[in-house]
Amino acid sequence: WEDDPNSILFVGELRNESGAARERIQVQIELLNEAGEVMASSNGFIERSYLNAGEISPFHVYFTGAALPSVAFTTYRILVQSVSLGDFTRGYTIVDGLQFTVDQVGQGSFGNAPVIRGTFLNNRDTAVGFPKIIIVFYNEADQVIGVTDTYAATSGPGNLLPAKSISPFETNIVILTERNPTSYMLYVEANRSS
C-alpha cells in the first residue's frame, strides 16, 4: 500500500479458494486505529469479471476525499464478499481463444510509469466484445506494486473484435506504490458477442 497526504492506495492479489466459481467479488478495506476501531473504509472490485476455483485476480482500493481518515491509521483489515455465478452464466466473460503478444516495454511520458504495447488476438471462431487486458506489476519480492487495465482497439458497433483478428493495445495510466517494477503479468478477457 501507499500513503500520501491526498490518497491511500492498496494493491494486491486475491485467490479464489472457495472451490467454486465466483463473481461480483468485492474487496473492502477498513483502516483501524490503535484501539482496533474502524476509522474509515473503502470498497473496490477485483480486475477480472469472475474467478474459477484456484484463479487469481489483482485488485486495488483507493481512499480519497471524504473517505480519508483525519489521522494516520495503525493497521487495516481486508474483507471479501462475492456471490456464486448467477446473473452472468459461466462463460459470459471468456478467456479461451484469447491471446496476446507484447511488442514493446518502455517508459512513458509521465515519470517512471511503464508502458506496455502489444497485440490482442481473438483466435475464436466468433467475434468478442470489449477485449480487455489487465496488467499487474511486481517488485523483486513478487509483491504487487501496481495494477492497470486497457482495452484493445475495436471498430464498429458493440466494441467487437471479429473472429481470427488482431488489435493493438497500450497501457494508459499506471499508478505504482514503488518505482521500477521488475516483472509483470498480463491477463485477457472479453465478452461473448451474442
Side-chain angles (χ1 to χ4, degrees):
W1 56 275
E2 180 184 52
D3 188 357
D4 67 43
N6 300 313
S7 66
I8 302 171
L9 167 65
F10 286 82
V11 293
E13 288 179 319
L14 179 145
R15 182 190 300 271
N16 177 7
E17 295 183 344
S18 71
R22 309 291 290 183
E23 68 175 4
R24 285 178 278 176
I25 302 170
Q26 186 176 23
V27 177
Q28 179 181 20
I29 295 182
E30 296 178 339
L31 305 180
L32 311 176
N33 61 18
E34 290 183 5
E37 300 167 328
V38 176
M39 302 167 47
S41 67
S42 186
N43 298 323
F45 286 90
I46 66 170
E47 298 293 323
R48 300 176 68 189
S49 299
Y50 70 88
L51 288 182
N52 290 314
E55 288 185 334
I56 294 173
S57 176
F59 70 86
H60 64 274
V61 176
Y62 283 108
F63 288 80
T64 58
L68 281 172
S70 57
V71 296
F73 65 96
T74 303
T75 187
Y76 61 89
R77 177 170 49 218
I78 299 177
L79 307 170
V80 179
Q81 297 177 336
S82 68
V83 297
S84 59
L85 295 178
D87 293 344
F88 298 103
T89 59
R90 187 172 181 176
Y92 174 81
T93 298
I94 55 174
V95 294
D96 294 341
L98 307 179
Q99 301 169 9
F100 64 86
T101 58
V102 174
D103 302 323
Q104 181 185 13
V105 179
Q107 296 296 331
S109 57
F110 299 103
N112 291 327
V115 171
I116 298 178
R117 296 179 180 89
T119 303
F120 188 104
L121 168 63
N122 175 14
N123 203 27
R124 298 172 60 84
D125 293 326
T126 58
V128 296
F130 301 98
K132 183 179 181 181
I133 301 94
I134 303 160
I135 303 102
V136 189
F137 297 94
Y138 301 87
N139 61 13
E140 290 181 351
D142 286 332
Q143 297 170 321
V144 177
I145 61 170
V147 178
T148 190
D149 59 48
T150 187
Y151 289 89
T154 57
S155 60
N159 294 300
L160 296 179
L161 183 62
K164 308 296 182 183
S165 65
I166 61 173
S167 176
F169 71 86
E170 178 178 329
T171 58
N172 296 312
I173 298 173
V174 179
I175 300 174
L176 301 172
T177 60
E178 298 177 16
R179 292 183 180 269
N180 303 317
T182 57
S183 61
Y184 62 90
M185 177 77 74
L186 273 74
Y187 299 92
V188 294
E189 65 180 21
N191 291 348
R192 293 189 187 278
S193 61
S194 59

